[in-house]
Protein backbone atom coordinates (compact mmCIF):
# COMPACT_ATOMS: atom_id res chain seq x y z
CA UNK A 1 0.00 0.00 0.00
CA UNK A 2 1.01 3.63 -0.42
CA UNK A 3 0.42 6.11 2.38
CA UNK A 4 -1.95 8.76 1.08
CA UNK A 5 -1.05 12.43 1.15
CA UNK A 6 -3.57 13.34 3.87
CA UNK A 7 -2.07 10.89 6.37
CA UNK A 8 1.51 11.90 5.60
CA UNK A 9 0.73 15.62 5.77
CA UNK A 10 -1.12 15.25 9.08
CA UNK A 11 1.76 13.27 10.59
CA UNK A 12 4.37 15.78 9.41
CA UNK A 13 2.29 18.66 10.76
CA UNK A 14 1.98 16.86 14.10
CA UNK A 15 5.76 16.55 14.25
CA UNK A 16 6.19 20.20 13.31
CA UNK A 17 3.97 21.19 16.25
CA UNK A 18 6.13 19.25 18.71
CA UNK A 19 9.29 20.71 17.18
CA UNK A 20 7.91 24.24 17.36
CA UNK A 21 6.91 23.87 21.01
CA UNK A 22 9.94 22.03 22.30
CA UNK A 23 12.78 23.30 20.13
CA UNK A 24 11.75 26.72 18.81
CA UNK A 25 9.62 28.10 21.65
CA UNK A 26 11.25 26.02 24.40
CA UNK A 27 7.85 25.27 25.91
CA UNK A 28 6.97 21.90 27.41
CA UNK A 29 3.77 21.67 29.41
CA UNK A 30 4.79 18.51 31.21
CA UNK A 31 7.40 17.22 33.63
CA UNK A 32 9.87 14.39 33.72
CA UNK A 33 7.74 11.73 35.41
CA UNK A 34 4.77 12.41 33.11
CA UNK A 35 6.41 13.02 29.73
CA UNK A 36 4.45 13.20 26.48
CA UNK A 37 1.08 11.53 26.84
CA UNK A 38 -0.70 9.37 24.27
CA UNK A 39 -3.74 11.65 24.30
CA UNK A 40 -1.64 14.48 22.87
CA UNK A 41 -0.52 12.22 20.01
CA UNK A 42 -4.07 11.43 18.93
CA UNK A 43 -5.25 15.01 19.51
CA UNK A 44 -2.60 16.65 17.37
CA UNK A 45 -2.71 14.02 14.64
CA UNK A 46 -6.50 14.11 14.32
CA UNK A 47 -6.60 17.90 14.53
CA UNK A 48 -4.03 18.25 11.77
CA UNK A 49 -5.87 15.71 9.62
CA UNK A 50 -9.13 17.60 9.95
CA UNK A 51 -7.34 20.90 9.35
CA UNK A 52 -6.48 19.65 5.87
CA UNK A 53 -9.75 17.73 5.32
CA UNK A 54 -12.49 19.98 6.68
CA UNK A 55 -15.34 17.51 6.27
CA UNK A 56 -13.62 14.63 8.06
CA UNK A 57 -15.43 13.32 11.13
CA UNK A 58 -13.31 12.64 14.21
CA UNK A 59 -14.25 11.02 17.49
CA UNK A 60 -11.97 10.27 20.41
CA UNK A 61 -12.43 7.53 23.03
CA UNK A 62 -14.78 5.69 20.66
CA UNK A 63 -16.87 2.96 22.37
CA UNK A 64 -17.32 -0.48 20.83
CA UNK A 65 -20.70 -2.21 21.17
CA UNK A 66 -20.81 -5.45 23.21
CA UNK A 67 -17.44 -4.63 24.72
CA UNK A 68 -15.86 -2.69 27.57
CA UNK A 69 -13.19 -1.56 25.11
CA UNK A 70 -12.78 1.66 23.18
CA UNK A 71 -10.61 3.00 20.37
CA UNK A 72 -8.35 5.95 21.06
CA UNK A 73 -9.66 7.75 17.96
CA UNK A 74 -11.46 7.25 14.67
CA UNK A 75 -11.31 9.40 11.53
CA UNK A 76 -14.00 9.03 8.87
CA UNK A 77 -13.31 10.87 5.63
CA UNK A 78 -15.86 10.77 2.80
CA UNK A 79 -14.96 11.79 -0.75
CA UNK A 80 -18.31 12.69 -2.27
CA UNK A 81 -16.86 13.16 -5.74
CA UNK A 82 -15.43 9.64 -5.95
CA UNK A 83 -18.07 8.04 -3.68
CA UNK A 84 -15.33 6.72 -1.42
CA UNK A 85 -14.92 6.61 2.36
CA UNK A 86 -11.63 6.15 4.19
CA UNK A 87 -11.92 5.09 7.83
CA UNK A 88 -8.90 5.16 10.12
CA UNK A 89 -8.95 3.25 13.42
CA UNK A 90 -6.27 4.83 15.61
CA UNK A 91 -4.43 3.60 18.69
CA UNK A 92 -1.51 5.36 20.39
CA UNK A 93 1.27 4.00 22.57
CA UNK A 94 4.26 5.42 24.45
CA UNK A 95 7.26 3.14 24.12
CA UNK A 96 8.90 3.08 27.56
CA UNK A 97 10.88 -0.05 26.71
CA UNK A 98 10.83 -2.75 24.05
CA UNK A 99 8.14 -4.67 25.95
CA UNK A 100 5.73 -1.87 25.04
CA UNK A 101 6.14 -2.95 21.42
CA UNK A 102 5.69 -6.68 22.00
CA UNK A 103 5.23 -7.76 25.60
CA UNK A 104 6.36 -11.19 26.75
CA UNK A 105 3.97 -13.13 28.95
CA UNK A 106 1.17 -11.36 30.80
CA UNK A 107 2.65 -8.07 31.94
CA UNK A 108 0.29 -5.49 33.39
CA UNK A 109 0.78 -2.94 30.62
CA UNK A 110 -0.40 -3.14 27.02
CA UNK A 111 1.71 -2.99 23.88
CA UNK A 112 1.57 -2.03 20.21
CA UNK A 113 1.16 -5.70 19.44
CA UNK A 114 -1.84 -5.96 21.80
CA UNK A 115 -3.49 -2.97 20.11
CA UNK A 116 -2.82 -4.36 16.65
CA UNK A 117 -4.21 -7.80 17.53
CA UNK A 118 -7.29 -6.23 19.10
CA UNK A 119 -8.01 -4.20 15.98
CA UNK A 120 -7.40 -7.15 13.69
CA UNK A 121 -9.72 -9.20 15.88
CA UNK A 122 -12.42 -6.57 15.52
CA UNK A 123 -12.19 -6.75 11.73
CA UNK A 124 -12.41 -10.54 11.78
CA UNK A 125 -15.88 -10.42 13.29
CA UNK A 126 -18.88 -10.65 10.99
CA UNK A 127 -20.73 -7.34 10.66
CA UNK A 128 -17.96 -5.60 12.63
CA UNK A 129 -19.08 -2.19 11.33
CA UNK A 130 -22.20 -2.50 13.47
CA UNK A 131 -19.99 -2.58 16.57
CA UNK A 132 -18.89 1.01 15.91
CA UNK A 133 -21.71 3.45 16.83
CA UNK A 134 -22.94 5.33 13.75
CA UNK A 135 -20.49 3.70 11.34
CA UNK A 136 -22.95 1.38 9.61
CA UNK A 137 -25.31 4.25 8.71
CA UNK A 138 -22.43 6.53 7.71
CA UNK A 139 -21.02 4.11 5.13
CA UNK A 140 -24.34 2.72 3.92
CA UNK A 141 -24.84 3.19 0.18
CA UNK A 142 -21.25 4.25 -0.51
CA UNK A 143 -19.57 2.46 -3.43
CA UNK A 144 -16.13 2.04 -1.83
CA UNK A 145 -15.24 1.91 1.86
CA UNK A 146 -11.58 1.49 2.83
CA UNK A 147 -10.54 0.55 6.36
CA UNK A 148 -7.12 1.30 7.83
CA UNK A 149 -5.42 0.49 11.12
CA UNK A 150 -3.22 3.36 12.31
CA UNK A 151 -0.79 3.01 15.20
CA UNK A 152 0.87 6.12 16.61
CA UNK A 153 3.87 5.77 18.90
CA UNK A 154 6.24 8.06 20.76
CA UNK A 155 9.67 7.19 22.07
CA UNK A 156 11.31 9.44 24.64
CA UNK A 157 15.12 9.30 24.73
CA UNK A 158 16.33 10.07 28.25
CA UNK A 159 19.91 11.00 29.15
CA UNK A 160 20.27 8.56 32.07
CA UNK A 161 18.89 5.41 30.47
CA UNK A 162 21.12 2.41 29.77
CA UNK A 163 22.99 2.50 26.44
CA UNK A 164 20.94 -0.25 24.79
CA UNK A 165 17.52 0.90 25.99
CA UNK A 166 17.02 3.42 23.19
CA UNK A 167 18.40 1.22 20.40
CA UNK A 168 16.40 -1.79 21.62
CA UNK A 169 13.17 0.21 21.45
CA UNK A 170 13.97 1.67 18.03
CA UNK A 171 14.82 -1.76 16.62
CA UNK A 172 11.68 -3.27 18.13
CA UNK A 173 9.46 -0.66 16.44
CA UNK A 174 11.10 -1.09 13.04
CA UNK A 175 10.92 -4.89 13.29
CA UNK A 176 7.28 -4.72 14.38
CA UNK A 177 6.23 -2.70 11.32
CA UNK A 178 8.33 -4.79 8.94
CA UNK A 179 7.07 -8.14 10.27
CA UNK A 180 3.43 -7.04 9.82
CA UNK A 181 3.91 -5.42 6.45
CA UNK A 182 2.90 -2.03 7.79
CA UNK A 183 4.10 1.18 6.19
CA UNK A 184 5.87 3.44 8.68
CA UNK A 185 6.55 7.16 8.95
CA UNK A 186 9.08 8.63 11.40
CA UNK A 187 9.62 12.15 12.73
CA UNK A 188 12.63 12.95 14.89
CA UNK A 189 11.48 16.03 16.79
CA UNK A 190 14.96 17.49 17.03
CA UNK A 191 16.09 16.81 13.45
CA UNK A 192 12.91 16.56 11.36
CA UNK A 193 10.76 14.31 9.20
CA UNK A 194 12.22 11.18 7.64
CA UNK A 195 15.59 11.61 9.36
CA UNK A 196 17.05 8.60 11.17
CA UNK A 197 16.87 8.35 14.93
CA UNK A 198 19.47 10.40 16.79
CA UNK A 199 21.41 8.24 19.28
CA UNK A 200 23.55 11.11 20.60
CA UNK A 201 23.15 12.22 24.23
CA UNK A 202 25.33 15.30 23.86
CA UNK A 203 22.58 17.88 24.29
CA UNK A 204 19.14 17.95 25.89
CA UNK A 205 16.30 18.68 23.51
CA UNK A 206 14.65 20.88 26.13
CA UNK A 207 17.38 22.40 28.30
CA UNK A 208 15.19 24.43 30.68
CA UNK A 209 13.51 23.16 33.82
CA UNK A 210 13.02 23.72 37.52
CA UNK A 211 13.90 21.51 40.43
CA UNK A 212 13.19 17.85 41.12
CA UNK A 213 10.16 16.48 39.31
CA UNK A 214 9.70 19.69 37.33
CA UNK A 215 12.90 19.12 35.38
CA UNK A 216 12.26 17.83 31.88
CA UNK A 217 15.31 15.86 30.80
CA UNK A 218 14.76 14.38 27.35
CA UNK A 219 17.52 14.11 24.79
CA UNK A 220 15.08 13.49 21.96
CA UNK A 221 11.55 12.52 21.06
CA UNK A 222 10.77 10.19 18.14
CA UNK A 223 7.27 9.97 16.67
CA UNK A 224 6.08 7.03 14.56
CA UNK A 225 3.02 6.24 12.46
CA UNK A 226 2.35 2.70 11.21
CA UNK A 227 -0.55 2.02 8.87
CA UNK A 228 -2.17 -1.06 7.39
CA UNK A 229 -5.04 -1.43 4.92
CA UNK A 230 -7.31 -4.04 6.45
CA UNK A 231 -10.43 -4.49 4.40
CA UNK A 232 -11.92 -3.06 1.23
CA UNK A 233 -15.62 -3.45 0.62
Amino acid sequence: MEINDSIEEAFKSMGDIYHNMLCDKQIALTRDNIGFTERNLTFYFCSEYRGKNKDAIIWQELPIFDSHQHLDSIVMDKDEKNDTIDIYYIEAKRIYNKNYVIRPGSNSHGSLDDDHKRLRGLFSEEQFVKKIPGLYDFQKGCTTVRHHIVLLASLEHKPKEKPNTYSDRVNAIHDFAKDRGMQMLHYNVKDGYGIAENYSKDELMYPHGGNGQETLSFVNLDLYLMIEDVKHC
Side-chain angles (χ1 to χ4, degrees), residues 1-2 4-6 49 74-79 82-89 123 128-129 135 138-139 142-150 227-233:
M1 61 164 286
E2 291 186 3
N4 68 43
D5 291 342
S6 294
Y49 187 98
I74 191 171
V75 174
M76 302 188 297
D77 194 0
K78 188 172 185 178
D79 184 342
N82 296 315
D83 198 24
T84 299
I85 297 174
D86 282 289
I87 304 171
Y88 303 96
Y89 306 82
F123 284 104
F128 78 92
V129 294
L135 181 55
F138 180 76
Q139 71 169 40
C142 188
T143 301
T144 303
V145 183
R146 299 187 292 236
H147 303 269
H148 318 270
I149 288 175
V150 176
I227 187 168
E228 174 184 10
D229 292 349
V230 180
K231 180 180 179 182
H232 296 256
C233 57

Side-chain angles (χ1 to χ4, degrees), residues 121-132:
L122 178 67
F123 284 104
S124 69
E125 297 179 23
E126 187 176 357
Q127 296 295 311
F128 78 92
V129 294
K130 292 185 177 180
K131 289 186 173 289
I132 308 296

Side-chain angles (χ1 to χ4, degrees), residues 193-209:
Y193 175 68
I195 297 174
E197 289 86 355
N198 187 337
Y199 290 78
S200 172
K201 291 186 180 181
D202 293 341
E203 182 181 351
L204 291 178
M205 181 176 67
Y206 182 75
H208 300 308

Side-chain angles (χ1 to χ4, degrees), residues 46-188:
C46 291
S47 296
E48 291 306 298
Y49 187 98
R50 193 174 186 278
K52 302 174 190 309
N53 302 271
K54 302 295 185 183
D55 293 328
I57 295 172
I58 292 170
W59 199 265
Q60 304 225 330
E61 302 292 321
L62 179 79
I64 302 173
F65 282 133
D66 300 326
S67 171
H68 295 296
Q69 302 179 63
H70 70 272
L71 300 181
D72 287 343
S73 300
I74 191 171
V75 174
M76 302 188 297
D77 194 0
K78 188 172 185 178
D79 184 342
E80 299 283 359
K81 181 179 179 181
N82 296 315
D83 198 24
T84 299
I85 297 174
D86 282 289
I87 304 171
Y88 303 96
Y89 306 82
I90 303 170
E91 290 286 333
K93 187 67 62 183
R94 294 170 68 188
I95 310 301
Y96 293 97
N97 58 55
K98 64 181 181 180
N99 293 341
Y100 280 79
V101 180
I102 299 178
R103 62 177 183 147
S106 56
N107 295 338
S108 59
H109 63 76
S111 68
L112 277 178
D113 189 46
D114 292 332
D115 289 342
H116 183 257
K117 287 177 179 176
R118 186 162 63 92
L119 287 170
R120 289 302 300 264
L122 178 67
F123 284 104
S124 69
E125 297 179 23
E126 187 176 357
Q127 296 295 311
F128 78 92
V129 294
K130 292 185 177 180
K131 289 186 173 289
I132 308 296
L135 181 55
Y136 179 76
D137 290 332
F138 180 76
Q139 71 169 40
K140 189 165 55 179
C142 188
T143 301
T144 303
V145 183
R146 299 187 292 236
H147 303 269
H148 318 270
I149 288 175
V150 176
L151 301 177
L152 295 172
S154 66
L155 193 163
E156 301 155 10
H157 188 11
K158 298 184 178 183
K160 294 182 180 180
E161 64 191 19
K162 295 179 180 179
N164 292 336
T165 300
Y166 182 65
S167 59
D168 285 349
R169 287 182 290 166
V170 168
N171 292 336
I173 291 174
H174 282 270
D175 289 344
F176 174 88
K178 182 179 179 181
D179 291 346
R180 286 151 188 79
M182 302 182 79
Q183 295 294 310
M184 187 171 76
L185 303 177
H186 168 249
Y187 194 115
N188 182 277

